[in-house]
Amino acid sequence: MPVDLDSYREEADRFLTELTGAYYRHFAGLEATLELEPVYERFAGLTTVEACETLREAAAGAPPRSAPVELWRFACEGHLGSVTRAQEELLANLETQLEATVDGHTVGFRMLRPTLANEPDRNRRERLECARAELAAELLPAYRDAAGEVQAAARTLGGGTVRDLYESFGLALGPLAEQCRAVLDDTEDIYVTGFDRLLRDRAGVSLGDARRWDVPRLFRAAAWDDAFPAERMVPALEGTLAGLGVDLRSQRNIELDLDERPTKSPRAFCAPIEVPDRIVLVIQPIGGLDDWRALFHEAGHTEHFAHTSARLPLEARRLGDNAVTEGHAFLLEHLVIDPAWLERRLDVGRGEEIASESAVRHLYALRRYCAKLLYELELHAEADPDTMPGRYVELLSEATKIEPSEVDFLADVDPGFYVTSYLRAWALEAQLARHLRERFGRAWFAERRAGSLLRELWSEGQSLDADAVAREVTGAALELAAAVLLGREGDHPLAPPGPSCACSRAAPAPRLTSRAPTLRARGLALDRALRADRDPGGGALCRLGDVHLEDAVLELGADVRLVDALRQSHAAGEATEAPLEAVEAVGLLLDLTFPLAGDREHAVLDLDRDLVLRAAGQVEREHDLGVRLPDVESWQPRRAAVAGARRGRPPQLAGEPAHLALKGGQLAEWFPPDDRHHRPPSRYVVLPEI
């Protein structure tokens, strides 16, 4: 029987809204129990075996990632979720209720990992881990039941094994597994050397003596706590987004859940309840490098979903390749370990040291997830999951050199081969980051042109898969080897001086194609200290950055920008421009010796007459004197201005001329600067991860 795809999409959208809302309320601590049964009952028709079969027939012959295949995959995954919802509810509720008593202190199950990471005493960490493993054993029956239900359902859906089902959706599991094996081989020596050195320096143990309870404490990076206080997390995020031309507080489709609640997840997470109309960023700031990374990661998801065009179909807004949204999330997360960002935003003077330590953590996670994919491929081909605990320990121990607890052999498996999304996202992020640095400079995060490019990518939702995004933006194929270098040039930051290491040879620089419009030095931003490389007089000091001045062209222009004007949203597809708010004017900025912060010769210098219209807000140490119509360069106004900066075409402005009403005789006040592992319950809900 033919299916009405438009009606199916509408019903599926409502289902995902209710499902995500239920997850949000539970993990945000608003509801003590996770109630999924009523949601699945109301939308039972979406995920029946009959619906899956009908959509499979509609998808016959369609290419991977196409709309029919994505709807078919949605129905099948919804069916898998429906047959395991009882176990999902039980697990979520048990995780809320279970407690352990260690040394006279009671700790909830979900708080055991954070508590362990914050515990300096190694012997107590071991006791905490033993207590966690004992409670995790109580969850095993529910995990076993769920695994059995998934295997049976995969056979019912005609997929044979779970792997067979997902390969029928177009997931290239075999080729990715081969890339994982290559990464594990190529990074073995540098990983062992770097991880051993970090363990000795920070934990006082060698890699041979380290145990799994040492790893969370090591990556907790307590030595850097003073540089990453809890009270500066949100202001730093706001300032970073402001540098990209995004005003977080004025995005009406984003809710910031900042309230403290006893059962609220200690990790930040994003709940895309309605895409793009209601995205919730849930935050309970604790502080520390790890917490900052989690916040920026989830903020990447948040901005991606919030900027997604409402005009896109369900498949591009809420389904598609989750490596794309994870790639955007890692792009923001890795700013927190970027030496240029640390120096510019937080005044951290030891950014390279943080970057080197973080490279160890990244390589640990990358190798761990490579091993996880290899394990999951075997697990999902095995009839009896209870034969797999030993194999789980073997594969992950070989990759990380740390023996995991075999009790986690099912809990450490993400639904729907989500492990592939993380792996491919790391590759995408590395290639995007490298492209942004080469095109906009090391401080690309402070360039509104970079923000314009990102907002254009965000607006496309997941209409393109990660491979297509990489090709479109960088001109290079998506390669897992690129993830090894975190998008850096040259050797891995852990490599000793000398000839290139194996990991560098395994990750050649992707060929970057020229897709930028003419270079425009818009929105001159002045640091308080007027760094030499940003100093308008820096040209006289020969601090020209990465550009050449031959054949330069001078272009003068006037631009206007709103910052917080009447708290208007910058959401995708906004139909009207925000009114102007009368505030103080900032003078004329013209200095012909301003060095071009660009990426190629034959650059065009566009010096602006800039004004500032702003409401009180914090943009950290960069004080942007640029003034513009909202999103004239962000590819959003009426969506008629999407001209394709990433493809080398200049934008066509869609905004109308502004009438400026200025008052006041003084400048506005400048404000001062300012291995998590959680199982995502569904590929449609972005909750705390890795």
Side-chain angles (χ1 to χ4, degrees), residues 510-538:
R511 182 181 58 82
L512 301 181
T513 59
S514 173
R515 298 175 180 269
T518 53
L519 177 65
R520 315 186 78 196
R522 288 190 179 277
L524 176 60
L526 297 180
D527 189 289
R528 277 183 174 177
L530 284 175
R531 305 177 193 279
D533 60 348
R534 304 281 300 179
D535 185 358

Side-chain angles (χ1 to χ4, degrees), residues 102-407:
V102 179
D103 298 340
H105 297 281
T106 300
V107 185
F109 178 77
R110 287 181 179 167
M111 287 303 298
L112 278 167
R113 287 187 185 273
T115 302
L116 190 154
N118 282 286
E119 177 54 57
D121 185 273
R122 192 181 187 218
N123 292 328
R124 187 164 190 270
R125 288 203 303 272
E126 181 179 3
R127 293 192 292 273
L128 285 165
E129 167 57 21
C130 289
R132 186 206 65 81
E134 289 178 7
L135 294 183
E138 297 185 34
L139 305 178
L140 259 181
Y143 279 115
R144 287 193 178 98
D145 290 346
E149 294 287 353
V150 168
Q151 287 180 328
R155 290 191 294 271
T156 301
L157 295 174
T161 66
V162 175
R163 174 177 179 171
D164 293 335
L165 179 63
Y166 276 85
E167 288 184 326
S168 70
F169 297 145
L171 268 67
L173 299 175
L176 184 58
E178 287 304 312
Q179 291 189 57
C180 287
R181 294 186 183 96
V183 165
L184 289 170
D185 289 343
D186 289 336
T187 62
E188 175 80 9
D189 292 342
I190 197 171
Y191 169 73
V192 169
T193 300
F195 198 24
D196 179 71
R197 182 167 62 239
L198 184 60
L199 280 164
R200 291 176 185 273
D201 291 345
R202 292 298 189 192
V205 296
S206 67
L207 179 55
D209 294 330
R211 298 294 180 266
R212 61 180 176 273
W213 49 85
D214 295 316
V215 176
R217 179 61 181 173
L218 176 71
F219 293 149
R220 163 69 177 75
W224 303 110
D225 280 357
D226 290 344
F228 299 97
E231 66 273 11
R232 294 181 66 183
M233 290 175 65
V234 175
L237 174 62
E238 291 175 327
T240 300
L241 292 174
L244 294 168
V246 177
D247 185 351
L248 179 60
R249 296 286 183 168
S250 74
Q251 291 178 282
R252 292 181 177 177
N253 56 340
I254 293 179
E255 299 175 22
L256 298 181
D257 183 341
L258 303 172
D259 297 334
E260 293 186 10
R261 304 182 191 98
T263 58
K264 186 177 184 179
S265 168
R267 287 284 176 185
F269 70 90
C270 168
I273 297 173
E274 297 177 56
V275 180
D277 296 329
R278 188 191 176 200
I279 316 299
V280 185
L281 178 57
V282 184
I283 309 166
Q284 186 158 290
I286 299 172
L289 176 57
D290 196 46
D291 204 33
W292 278 60
R293 291 182 61 156
L295 171 61
F296 275 64
H297 183 97
E298 301 307 322
H301 285 304
T302 299
E303 292 299 336
H304 178 215
F305 291 126
H307 281 84
T308 294
S309 172
R311 295 181 175 86
L312 292 174
L314 172 73
E315 307 89 87
R317 286 186 294 109
R318 308 199 71 154
L319 308 182
D321 182 5
N322 272 359
V324 174
T325 190
E326 294 295 348
H328 291 309
F330 284 124
L331 188 65
L332 285 194
E333 175 187 340
H334 289 167
L335 284 179
V336 179
I337 58 173
D338 185 321
W341 184 90
L342 289 167
E343 180 184 2
R344 194 182 193 95
R345 293 294 179 192
L346 297 185
D347 260 341
V348 174
R350 298 164 66 192
E352 290 294 341
E353 188 175 346
I354 293 176
S356 293
E357 290 190 11
S358 298
V360 177
R361 171 193 172 133
H362 174 72
L363 200 49
Y364 170 89
L366 179 62
R367 289 175 60 87
R368 187 177 192 278
Y369 271 69
C370 285
K372 268 169 57 74
L373 176 58
L374 300 178
Y375 166 69
E376 289 182 20
L377 289 176
E378 294 186 21
L379 172 70
H380 289 309
E382 180 60 47
D384 182 7
D386 278 334
T387 64
M388 294 302 292
R391 188 60 173 151
Y392 169 75
V393 171
E394 178 185 357
L395 284 171
L396 269 74
S397 296
E398 184 178 345
T400 66
K401 315 308 176 187
I402 300 292
E403 183 177 300
S405 173
E406 68 174 23
V407 76

Side-chain angles (χ1 to χ4, degrees), residues 526 528 563-564 581-586 612-625 663-674:
L526 297 180
R528 277 183 174 177
V563 182
D564 281 357
E581 185 178 67
V583 289
E584 296 82 1
V586 178
V612 169
L613 307 179
R614 73 178 294 108
Q618 211 163 24
V619 292
E620 306 223 84
R621 301 178 61 247
E622 288 264 340
H623 303 311
D624 192 352
L625 306 187
K663 69 179 181 181
Q666 297 179 341
L667 294 177
E669 176 184 0
W670 296 122
F671 287 82
D674 284 318

